[in-house]
Amino acid sequence: MQLEIPEFTLRNSPFPLIAMDDNLTILGSSKSVASFFEQPGKYQFKTFKGIFGEVPQGFIKAIKQSCNCVETLSVISKTGRLRWIKTSIFPMAPESKIFQVYFDDVTEEKVQYELAIQAKQIAKIGSWKVDLLTNVVSWSNLTRDIHEVPQDFAPDLDKGINFYKKGVHRDKIVEVVSECIEKGKPFDLESIIVTAQGNEKWVRAIGEAEISNGKTIGFKGVFQDIDEIKRERLRNQVVDNRMRLAVQSANIGIWDWDVVSNDLIWDDNMFALFEVDPEKFQHAYEAWESSLHPDDKEKATYKVQRALKGEKDFDTEFRIIKQDGSIAHVQARAQVVRDEKGMPLRMVGINSDITRIKRKDERLRNLLELTEKQNQKLVNFAHIVSHNLRSNSANISMLSGMLLSENILGRRKEFIGMIQKSSEKLEDTLNQLNEIVKIQATDKNDLTQLGVRPILKDVCDSINAIIEQCKAKITISIDENLKVRGIKPYLTSIFLNLLTNSIKYRAPRKEPKITVEAKILKNQTILIFKDNGLGIDLKKHGKNLFGMYKTFHDHKDSKGIGLFISKNQMEAMNGKIEVKSQPGAGSTFYLYFKNES
């Protein structure tokens, strides 16, 4: 049979290489094959089977399908040592019946691999891999052993995470795994798992992401049982932690609570902080608990119990009541020392007085709230200046135009009277603006009892020209004595905005009709403004209805500021504003005012 490669090329190849047919008969070989297999003189083997004694199923399949295959096979050398030979078979050409086989001695790599496996067994290090594309999770046998599950256990990501102890340990593994998936961030974490047999065990998980085209497609790593080492380390750290905290914490109290015997040890700073006489210090934990502020006792004791259960580290703040009745704010931190079964033995921690810091924070918050309130008042003030003055001046301008009209039909005196009323309302508006300036300059209670009907009448008089021109019918069904708690300029501005909006957005070919009525409940009074105008599509605009610069109709005078300011003004008066509306069916606005208790 003629070889498909030159005999010279094959013989002089520097690599151990043979050529064989599909019957596994060796047709030729390189010169190095004899020395590779420690054969004296010319290479003696006639068939591939003679080299290893058997033919791998992968090779048989490769020959039948004329494809490549790689297998690592063992052979006993002439010197009696075990050798591992990596054997690669591939056809000379597509559909060829002649195959080349390349040999590579991987004995050293095999030995190193087995040594690494032994090291992993001794160090209790398993491995794992997560394929995010196929959602397949793979665990090594040792990883299964650490989790105390059968070797046929089929893991997935949720099962793996749920082995971590509920609380801080599970929360932390979820956090680092999420960052690994989302950001490709590696992790190295020591945590407690609860095995399938119910045993708590300290483990170390190290992982890194597998990234393709900038996207995390999986992650892999190792998993080590560090329970014995970790628990010994924790025991040794108890004394070290006390010394470190003492050095770093001048004027900070240190305490050590024996959970089993309920023996609580305080240093001198703790007694000074709590103002407790050391001679009268008895019942340990109960003595600490009795000093807690009643409103903070449940929270503080709950966090102690969570720390003992290992759900969360003890790091909290609470108030205490000192012997003189004064209240102090305390920040507390602690570590829990456990036995080999994970049961709590002791809590060692520190307490520090943060009262001065808390008071500074409270003053800062009050200042910020005051600043925010003043800013809101300035916004309302600016609106009233622009909106109210503009409405009064526009009304006077309109009346002046009517007065100068040639076709006034003997109504000159009536228009002059209306101009006079508008001028008076303009003066009232200026007076109200002056009152607002006074309000913003004081920190007193701004809300007073205000008669609703008189304010409504004044607002109607200030826009009488607009009402007259549009033939609007305004019906006020409110008792003369009805009062609400509010700020008069704000209330005037809200009424003015609602009435002018009802007229501005009136339905075409329909006389505007506006009704104002009230509903008095036990804790609140509701003023209701209802019109028969264009209405608003609340499904479309409901979320933005009270937003700044939001308009819902095509009107040249639409500014998108009125309802925004009205909402803020209602909230400034401890009230709220709501609306019900349908396109073509008008709108109904509800103003809610809290009643005096």
Side-chain angles (χ1 to χ4, degrees):
M1 179 177 292
Q2 184 67 32
L3 288 177
E4 294 183 356
I5 60 173
E7 177 70 14
F8 176 83
T9 302
L10 179 64
R11 289 290 297 164
N12 290 282
S13 172
F15 309 108
L17 185 66
I18 67 172
M20 69 181 186
D21 61 18
D22 56 351
N23 292 318
L24 303 177
T25 300
I26 297 175
L27 305 176
S29 65
S30 65
K31 294 178 181 179
S32 59
V33 169
S35 60
F36 182 84
F37 285 101
E38 301 175 343
Q39 295 291 329
K42 190 176 180 181
Y43 185 54
Q44 301 297 314
F45 296 122
K46 301 298 182 182
T47 67
F48 180 86
K49 186 176 180 180
I51 303 175
F52 297 102
E54 62 179 355
V55 181
Q57 291 298 315
F59 272 33
I60 295 174
K61 181 178 179 182
I63 291 171
K64 288 182 179 180
Q65 299 180 3
S66 188
C67 61
N68 302 342
C69 181
V70 177
E71 291 270 6
T72 300
L73 307 173
S74 63
V75 63
I76 302 297
S77 72
K78 291 293 184 179
T79 60
R81 68 186 180 94
L82 177 66
R83 294 177 66 192
W84 289 93
I85 310 300
K86 182 178 180 182
T87 309
S88 306
I89 182 172
F90 50 92
M92 296 286 292
E95 306 299 327
S96 174
K97 299 297 184 180
I98 306 300
F99 297 85
Q100 289 190 74
V101 183
Y102 168 76
F103 303 102
D104 185 22
D105 191 330
V106 294
T107 304
E108 183 63 25
E109 289 90 336
K110 184 73 173 178
V111 170
Q112 292 299 325
Y113 175 77
E114 290 178 348
L115 288 175
I117 294 296
Q118 292 177 1
K120 287 183 178 181
Q121 293 287 343
I122 295 172
K124 299 180 181 179
I125 299 176
S127 58
W128 52 266
K129 183 175 182 179
V130 178
D131 189 333
L132 296 176
L133 299 179
T134 61
N135 291 323
V136 172
V137 177
S138 304
W139 281 4
S140 68
N141 291 338
L142 187 51
T143 299
R144 289 185 171 88
D145 290 340
I146 295 173
H147 286 84
E148 297 182 344
V149 296
Q151 289 303 315
D152 61 352
F153 176 78
D156 58 38
L157 193 54
D158 286 339
K159 289 178 182 177
I161 288 176
N162 286 335
F163 275 101
Y164 283 81
K165 186 173 181 180
K166 188 176 181 181
V168 64
H169 299 281
R170 190 178 299 176
D171 293 342
K172 189 61 179 177
I173 190 66
V174 169
E175 178 184 346
V176 298
V177 166
S178 299
E179 288 188 343
C180 185
I181 295 173
E182 295 171 6
K183 304 176 182 178
K185 184 178 180 180
F187 60 87
D188 187 345
L189 180 68
E190 294 182 356
S191 303
I192 295 177
I193 64 168
V194 180
T195 70
Q197 303 300 320
N199 298 316
E200 287 193 2
K201 185 182 293 185
W202 277 96
V203 296
R204 182 182 182 187
I206 303 175
E208 63 180 8
E210 293 184 315
I211 298 175
S212 177
N213 295 325
K215 181 180 179 181
T216 302
I217 60 172
F219 51 105
K220 60 184 178 181
V222 295
F223 195 80
Q224 184 180 14
D225 181 346
I226 60 169
D227 193 70
E228 295 180 3
I229 299 172
K230 183 69 175 182
R231 295 191 186 281
E232 181 63 25
R233 190 188 307 161
L234 290 174
R235 284 191 289 269
N236 293 335
Q237 282 180 350
V238 173
V239 176
D240 293 340
N241 286 341
R242 290 188 65 185
M243 293 297 294
R244 178 174 54 83
L245 291 172
V247 171
Q248 295 179 351
S249 308
N251 297 321
I252 293 178
I254 301 174
W255 52 271
D256 188 341
W257 176 35
D258 188 323
V259 178
V260 179
S261 65
N262 197 31
D263 185 16
L264 180 60
I265 300 173
W266 279 8
D267 69 354
D268 292 340
N269 285 336
M270 285 291 294
F271 288 110
L273 174 61
F274 282 77
E275 293 185 353
V276 173
D277 184 352
E279 300 297 328
K280 299 179 181 180
F281 186 69
Q282 297 177 353
H283 304 296
Y285 180 83
E286 290 77 7
W288 168 78
E289 192 176 33
S290 64
S291 66
L292 296 175
H293 191 286
D295 294 341
D296 294 350
K297 182 178 295 186
E298 183 177 352
K299 179 187 75 172
T301 54
Y302 170 71
K303 291 195 173 183
V304 168
Q305 296 305 314
R306 288 197 68 184
L308 292 176
K309 293 177 183 177
E311 295 177 354
K312 192 172 184 180
D313 292 339
F314 186 71
D315 186 350
T316 187
E317 296 177 6
F318 51 81
R319 291 168 294 174
I320 60 172
I321 301 178
K322 296 185 176 183
Q323 295 297 316
D324 61 0
S326 63
I327 295 175
H329 293 263
V330 174
Q331 184 176 54
R333 295 189 180 96
Q335 289 185 345
V336 179
V337 181
R338 303 179 183 278
D339 62 17
E340 59 276 2
K341 294 183 179 179
M343 299 301 294
L345 296 176
R346 298 159 62 201
M347 282 185 73
V348 181
I350 60 173
N351 281 3
S352 56
D353 189 336
I354 58 171
T355 306
R356 185 175 300 176
I357 298 174
K358 280 290 185 180
R359 286 174 180 169
K360 288 183 178 179
D361 288 345
E362 185 176 357
R363 286 197 295 269
L364 180 59
R365 282 196 301 271
N366 291 337
L367 180 60
L368 289 174
E369 289 176 3
L370 178 60
T371 302
E372 184 177 355
K373 184 177 180 181
Q374 292 295 338
N375 286 340
Q376 188 58 60
K377 287 181 178 181
L378 287 173
V379 172
N380 289 331
F381 176 77
H383 167 70
I384 293 173
V385 170
S386 61
H387 190 275
N388 293 22
L389 290 181
R390 186 174 65 248
S391 298
N392 283 279
S393 62
N395 196 63
I396 292 174
S397 178
M398 186 179 297
L399 288 170
S400 300
M402 293 178 180
L403 187 61
L404 295 174
S405 174
E406 296 179 357
N407 186 23
I408 58 175
L409 300 178
R411 299 180 64 186
R412 182 182 299 272
K413 185 175 181 180
E414 179 185 351
F415 287 152
I416 291 175
M418 293 171 70
I419 290 174
Q420 184 177 0
K421 281 189 176 181
S422 290
S423 299
E424 292 172 354
K425 298 308 172 188
L426 178 59
E427 184 179 359
D428 289 342
T429 299
L430 292 172
N431 291 333
Q432 290 174 5
L433 295 177
N434 186 52
E435 291 177 14
I436 292 177
V437 173
K438 292 179 181 179
I439 289 172
Q440 293 181 11
T442 182
D443 193 29
K444 297 178 181 178
N445 187 355
D446 302 339
L447 304 182
T448 57
Q449 289 290 340
L450 302 170
V452 175
R453 196 175 180 93
I455 295 177
L456 276 170
K457 185 176 182 304
D458 288 344
V459 170
C460 289
D461 287 342
S462 69
I463 58 171
N464 51 18
I466 300 173
I467 296 172
E468 172 71 19
Q469 184 185 51
C470 300
K471 295 183 172 55
K473 183 178 180 181
I474 301 177
T475 304
I476 300 176
S477 302
I478 293 179
D479 188 273
E480 291 283 354
N481 298 318
L482 177 65
K483 293 184 178 181
V484 294
R485 283 179 56 79
I487 301 171
K488 186 174 181 180
Y490 288 3
L491 208 57
T492 300
S493 176
I494 295 168
F495 291 171
L496 181 61
N497 185 61
L498 293 180
L499 291 176
T500 53
N501 276 357
S502 294
I503 295 173
K504 183 188 302 181
Y505 302 114
R506 60 188 179 275
R509 297 181 296 278
K510 187 188 294 185
E511 288 187 356
K513 291 184 179 179
I514 306 168
T515 61
V516 185
E517 53 189 18
K519 184 182 292 186
I520 304 174
L521 304 178
K522 182 178 180 181
N523 297 321
Q524 62 184 353
T525 297
I526 308 172
L527 300 184
I528 305 168
F529 286 70
K530 183 176 182 181
D531 65 46
N532 63 342
L534 294 173
I536 304 170
D537 187 346
L538 294 181
K539 291 183 179 179
K540 183 177 180 181
H541 302 297
K543 292 183 179 179
N544 299 319
L545 187 63
F546 295 101
M548 182 176 281
Y549 305 125
K550 302 298 181 181
T551 58
F552 315 106
H553 296 291
D554 186 13
H555 194 285
K556 64 179 182 179
D557 292 330
S558 296
K559 303 295 183 183
I561 192 70
L563 289 180
F564 169 77
I565 292 297
S566 294
K567 177 178 181 293
N568 287 331
Q569 290 170 334
M570 284 300 300
E571 292 174 351
M573 296 185 292
N574 294 327
K576 66 177 181 178
I577 180 171
E578 293 180 349
V579 63
K580 291 182 180 179
S581 185
Q582 290 183 357
S587 302
T588 304
F589 284 85
Y590 300 85
L591 306 179
Y592 295 84
F593 297 86
K594 291 184 178 180
N595 294 337
E596 281 188 317
S597 57

